[in-house]
Amino acid sequence: HSVSVLLPAAGQGTRLGRGPKALVRVGGKTLLDWALEAFAWADEVLVALPPGLEPPARGAKVRFLPGGRTRQESVYTLLTAAEGGYVLVHDVARPFVVRAVVDRVLAAARREGAAAPAVRVPDTLIEDERGHYGPARDRERHRLVQTPQGFFRAVLLEAHEWARAKGVQATDDAQLVLGLGYPVALVEGDRRMFKITYPEDLLLAEGLAAVWRP
Ligand code: C5P
Protein backbone atom coordinates (compact mmCIF):
# COMPACT_ATOMS: atom_id res chain seq x y z
CA HIS A 1 0.00 0.00 0.00
CA SER A 2 1.15 3.51 -0.78
CA VAL A 3 1.88 6.08 1.93
CA SER A 4 0.64 9.68 1.99
CA VAL A 5 2.39 12.00 4.44
CA LEU A 6 0.21 14.78 5.85
CA LEU A 7 1.98 17.83 7.24
CA PRO A 8 -0.28 20.23 9.16
CA ALA A 9 1.89 23.35 8.97
CA ALA A 10 -0.78 26.04 9.08
CA GLY A 11 -0.23 27.19 12.66
CA GLN A 12 0.71 30.78 13.38
CA GLY A 13 3.41 29.74 15.85
CA THR A 14 2.02 32.01 18.54
CA ARG A 15 3.87 30.45 21.49
CA LEU A 16 7.16 30.56 19.58
CA GLY A 17 6.67 34.17 18.49
CA ARG A 18 8.58 33.75 15.20
CA GLY A 19 5.71 33.84 12.68
CA PRO A 20 4.32 30.74 10.91
CA LYS A 21 6.23 27.77 12.29
CA ALA A 22 6.72 26.08 8.93
CA LEU A 23 9.02 28.96 7.90
CA VAL A 24 11.07 29.09 11.10
CA ARG A 25 14.72 28.21 10.36
CA VAL A 26 16.74 25.58 12.19
CA GLY A 27 20.25 24.68 11.07
CA GLY A 28 19.90 26.96 8.05
CA LYS A 29 16.67 25.52 6.63
CA THR A 30 12.98 25.89 7.34
CA LEU A 31 10.98 23.41 9.43
CA LEU A 32 9.00 22.68 6.26
CA ASP A 33 12.25 21.76 4.45
CA TRP A 34 13.25 19.42 7.29
CA ALA A 35 9.92 17.61 6.97
CA LEU A 36 9.98 17.44 3.17
CA GLU A 37 13.50 15.98 3.26
CA ALA A 38 12.62 13.46 5.97
CA PHE A 39 9.64 12.19 3.98
CA ALA A 40 11.10 12.44 0.46
CA TRP A 41 10.61 8.66 0.15
CA ALA A 42 6.79 8.89 0.51
CA ASP A 43 4.41 8.36 -2.42
CA GLU A 44 2.89 11.81 -1.86
CA VAL A 45 3.23 14.66 0.65
CA LEU A 46 0.36 17.02 1.41
CA VAL A 47 1.08 20.25 3.28
CA ALA A 48 -1.42 22.59 4.96
CA LEU A 49 -0.08 26.14 4.96
CA PRO A 50 -1.51 29.27 6.59
CA PRO A 51 -4.13 30.68 4.18
CA GLY A 52 -2.55 33.41 2.06
CA LEU A 53 0.99 32.06 2.38
CA GLU A 54 2.63 31.54 -1.02
CA PRO A 55 3.52 27.82 -1.47
CA PRO A 56 7.25 27.38 -2.09
CA ALA A 57 8.05 25.64 -5.40
CA ARG A 58 8.47 21.87 -4.92
CA GLY A 59 8.54 18.57 -6.75
CA ALA A 60 5.51 16.89 -8.27
CA LYS A 61 4.94 14.65 -5.24
CA VAL A 62 4.24 17.63 -2.94
CA ARG A 63 0.88 19.38 -2.83
CA PHE A 64 -0.01 22.48 -0.82
CA LEU A 65 -3.47 23.23 0.55
CA PRO A 66 -4.76 26.09 2.72
CA GLY A 67 -5.04 24.98 6.36
CA GLY A 68 -8.06 25.33 8.63
CA ARG A 69 -8.68 27.20 11.88
CA THR A 70 -7.36 24.34 14.01
CA ARG A 71 -4.78 21.60 13.56
CA GLN A 72 -7.64 19.12 13.37
CA GLU A 73 -9.31 21.02 10.51
CA SER A 74 -5.99 21.25 8.68
CA VAL A 75 -5.46 17.49 8.97
CA TYR A 76 -9.02 16.82 7.78
CA THR A 77 -8.45 18.97 4.69
CA LEU A 78 -5.27 17.04 3.88
CA LEU A 79 -6.89 13.69 4.64
CA THR A 80 -9.75 14.22 2.19
CA ALA A 81 -7.21 15.03 -0.54
CA ALA A 82 -4.89 12.06 0.23
CA GLU A 83 -4.80 8.99 -1.98
CA GLY A 84 -2.49 6.55 -0.16
CA GLY A 85 -3.72 3.41 1.55
CA TYR A 86 -1.84 4.60 4.64
CA VAL A 87 -1.30 8.08 6.02
CA LEU A 88 1.42 9.40 8.29
CA VAL A 89 0.51 12.63 10.08
CA HIS A 90 3.54 14.62 11.20
CA ASP A 91 3.91 18.03 12.85
CA VAL A 92 6.56 20.12 11.12
CA ALA A 93 7.41 21.39 14.61
CA ARG A 94 9.39 18.11 14.99
CA PRO A 95 12.28 18.48 12.53
CA PHE A 96 14.36 15.52 13.73
CA VAL A 97 12.63 12.51 12.24
CA VAL A 98 14.26 9.23 13.27
CA ARG A 99 13.77 6.73 10.47
CA ALA A 100 13.65 3.74 12.84
CA VAL A 101 10.66 5.32 14.61
CA VAL A 102 8.88 5.90 11.29
CA ASP A 103 9.46 2.24 10.40
CA ARG A 104 8.03 1.11 13.74
CA VAL A 105 4.96 3.33 13.29
CA LEU A 106 4.29 2.07 9.77
CA ALA A 107 4.77 -1.58 10.72
CA ALA A 108 2.35 -1.24 13.66
CA ALA A 109 -0.19 0.71 11.57
CA ARG A 110 -0.10 -2.04 8.94
CA ARG A 111 -0.73 -4.65 11.66
CA GLU A 112 -3.29 -2.79 13.76
CA GLY A 113 -4.72 0.05 11.67
CA ALA A 114 -3.40 2.87 13.86
CA ALA A 115 -0.12 3.58 15.67
CA ALA A 116 1.58 6.40 17.54
CA PRO A 117 5.13 6.84 18.88
CA ALA A 118 5.53 7.76 22.52
CA VAL A 119 8.26 8.25 25.10
CA ARG A 120 8.43 7.77 28.85
CA VAL A 121 8.01 10.68 31.27
CA PRO A 122 11.43 11.47 32.76
CA ASP A 123 10.24 13.85 35.48
CA THR A 124 7.90 13.50 38.43
CA LEU A 125 4.42 14.10 37.07
CA ILE A 126 1.93 15.99 39.24
CA GLU A 127 -1.25 18.02 39.00
CA ASP A 128 -0.95 21.77 39.44
CA GLU A 129 -3.61 22.73 41.97
CA ARG A 130 -3.81 26.46 41.38
CA GLY A 131 -0.16 27.04 42.15
CA HIS A 132 0.19 24.27 44.69
CA TYR A 133 1.70 20.82 44.41
CA GLY A 134 -1.08 18.34 43.67
CA PRO A 135 -1.21 14.53 43.63
CA ALA A 136 1.52 12.72 41.72
CA ARG A 137 0.58 10.56 38.75
CA ASP A 138 2.32 7.22 38.21
CA ARG A 139 4.86 8.25 35.59
CA GLU A 140 5.52 4.62 34.62
CA ARG A 141 1.96 4.45 33.29
CA HIS A 142 2.05 7.75 31.36
CA ARG A 143 3.59 8.58 27.99
CA LEU A 144 4.38 11.70 25.98
CA VAL A 145 2.98 11.27 22.49
CA GLN A 146 4.92 12.23 19.37
CA THR A 147 4.40 12.24 15.63
CA PRO A 148 4.45 10.84 12.95
CA GLN A 149 1.32 8.87 13.74
CA GLY A 150 0.33 6.24 11.20
CA PHE A 151 -3.11 5.06 10.12
CA PHE A 152 -4.93 3.02 7.59
CA ARG A 153 -6.39 6.02 5.72
CA ALA A 154 -9.99 4.79 5.94
CA VAL A 155 -9.68 4.48 9.74
CA LEU A 156 -8.43 8.05 10.23
CA LEU A 157 -11.02 9.42 7.82
CA GLU A 158 -13.80 7.68 9.74
CA ALA A 159 -12.42 9.08 13.02
CA HIS A 160 -12.27 12.64 11.67
CA GLU A 161 -15.81 12.40 10.20
CA TRP A 162 -17.03 11.14 13.58
CA ALA A 163 -15.26 13.98 15.44
CA ARG A 164 -16.72 16.60 13.10
CA ALA A 165 -20.23 15.21 13.56
CA LYS A 166 -19.86 15.08 17.35
CA GLY A 167 -17.92 18.34 17.78
CA VAL A 168 -15.00 16.45 19.37
CA GLN A 169 -11.68 18.33 19.45
CA ALA A 170 -8.31 16.71 20.06
CA THR A 171 -4.67 17.76 19.95
CA ASP A 172 -3.62 14.75 17.89
CA ASP A 173 -5.10 12.20 15.52
CA ALA A 174 -4.70 9.03 17.57
CA GLN A 175 -7.08 10.52 20.18
CA LEU A 176 -9.85 10.70 17.58
CA VAL A 177 -9.31 7.08 16.52
CA LEU A 178 -9.40 6.03 20.18
CA GLY A 179 -12.51 8.16 20.71
CA LEU A 180 -14.25 6.28 17.95
CA GLY A 181 -13.40 3.06 19.78
CA TYR A 182 -10.52 1.64 17.75
CA PRO A 183 -7.24 0.60 19.37
CA VAL A 184 -4.05 2.57 18.64
CA ALA A 185 -0.76 0.70 18.95
CA LEU A 186 2.01 2.45 20.88
CA VAL A 187 5.56 2.15 19.59
CA GLU A 188 8.80 3.47 21.08
CA GLY A 189 9.44 7.10 20.07
CA ASP A 190 12.70 9.00 20.37
CA ARG A 191 13.47 12.04 22.51
CA ARG A 192 15.24 13.71 19.57
CA MET A 193 11.82 13.99 17.97
CA PHE A 194 10.82 16.69 20.46
CA LYS A 195 8.39 19.43 19.43
CA ILE A 196 9.63 22.96 18.98
CA THR A 197 7.05 24.98 20.87
CA TYR A 198 8.75 27.61 23.03
CA PRO A 199 11.65 29.95 22.12
CA GLU A 200 14.16 27.99 24.22
CA ASP A 201 13.35 24.86 22.16
CA LEU A 202 15.10 26.59 19.26
CA LEU A 203 18.38 26.53 21.19
CA LEU A 204 18.09 22.76 21.64
CA ALA A 205 17.15 22.38 17.98
CA GLU A 206 20.16 24.38 16.76
CA GLY A 207 22.44 22.24 18.90
CA LEU A 208 20.97 19.01 17.56
CA ALA A 209 20.93 20.28 13.96
CA ALA A 210 24.69 20.84 14.17
CA VAL A 211 25.32 17.11 14.75
CA TRP A 212 22.28 15.61 12.97
CA ARG A 213 22.86 12.73 10.56
CA PRO A 214 19.59 11.43 9.15
O1 C5P B 1 -0.45 24.47 17.93
P1 C5P B 1 0.26 23.18 17.87
O2 C5P B 1 1.72 23.31 18.27
O3 C5P B 1 -0.42 22.04 18.55
O4 C5P B 1 0.29 22.80 16.33
C1 C5P B 1 0.75 21.57 15.91
C2 C5P B 1 0.88 21.54 14.41
O5 C5P B 1 -0.38 21.81 13.80
C3 C5P B 1 1.85 22.59 13.87
O6 C5P B 1 2.68 21.95 12.92
C4 C5P B 1 0.95 23.63 13.25
O7 C5P B 1 1.53 24.29 12.14
C5 C5P B 1 -0.26 22.82 12.81
N1 C5P B 1 -1.49 23.62 12.72
C6 C5P B 1 -2.22 23.64 11.52
N2 C5P B 1 -3.36 24.40 11.41
C7 C5P B 1 -3.78 25.14 12.45
C8 C5P B 1 -3.06 25.13 13.68
C9 C5P B 1 -1.92 24.35 13.79
O8 C5P B 1 -1.83 22.98 10.56
N3 C5P B 1 -4.87 25.89 12.29
Side-chain angles (χ1 to χ4, degrees):
H1 275 297
S2 56
V3 176
S4 301
V5 172
L6 313 185
L7 303 174
Q12 295 299 331
T14 312
R15 286 170 293 182
L16 198 59
R18 296 286 197 93
K21 223 187 256 183
L23 303 183
V24 167
R25 283 179 181 273
V26 166
K29 60 190 182 197
T30 64
L31 292 180
L32 179 60
D33 284 328
W34 280 91
L36 292 177
E37 284 177 23
F39 294 104
W41 54 267
D43 297 291
E44 65 170 356
V45 180
L46 292 105
V47 187
L49 286 181
L53 200 90
E54 186 66 25
R58 293 294 161 189
K61 284 198 311 188
V62 184
R63 276 192 284 161
F64 293 93
L65 295 164
R69 278 176 296 121
T70 62
R71 180 191 185 278
Q72 193 169 317
E73 281 185 23
S74 295
V75 172
Y76 180 71
T77 299
L78 299 175
L79 191 54
T80 53
E83 289 171 356
Y86 288 87
V87 292
L88 282 175
V89 186
H90 181 66
D91 289 329
V92 296
R94 304 179 189 272
F96 306 107
V97 178
V98 177
R99 187 59 209 243
V101 173
V102 176
D103 291 344
R104 286 196 283 273
V105 168
L106 271 177
R110 289 197 158 104
R111 262 193 329 266
E112 304 196 36
V119 293
R120 290 171 179 278
V121 181
D123 305 289
T124 296
L125 185 67
I126 63 155
E127 282 180 46
D128 180 339
E129 294 199 329
R130 282 179 254 105
H132 286 85
Y133 198 112
R137 298 277 148 235
D138 180 0
R139 72 178 173 200
E140 296 307 321
R141 292 186 55 232
H142 289 79
R143 296 291 180 268
L144 302 171
V145 180
Q146 302 181 320
T147 70
Q149 299 180 356
F151 309 91
F152 187 49
R153 178 165 58 95
V155 166
L156 189 58
L157 189 56
E158 189 186 343
H160 270 263
E161 302 279 15
W162 166 83
R164 288 168 73 82
K166 294 266 177 189
V168 171
Q169 303 272 349
T171 50
D172 76 347
D173 297 281
Q175 259 175 85
L176 300 181
V177 171
L178 185 68
L180 186 58
Y182 293 132
V184 179
L186 276 187
V187 302
E188 191 66 35
D190 190 299
R191 301 240 298 154
R192 290 170 294 181
M193 293 176 62
F194 71 96
K195 183 173 162 206
I196 298 177
T197 306
Y198 304 106
E200 59 271 30
D201 296 333
L202 283 172
L203 290 173
L204 293 172
E206 288 296 346
L208 187 46
V211 296
W212 184 254
R213 299 283 172 275

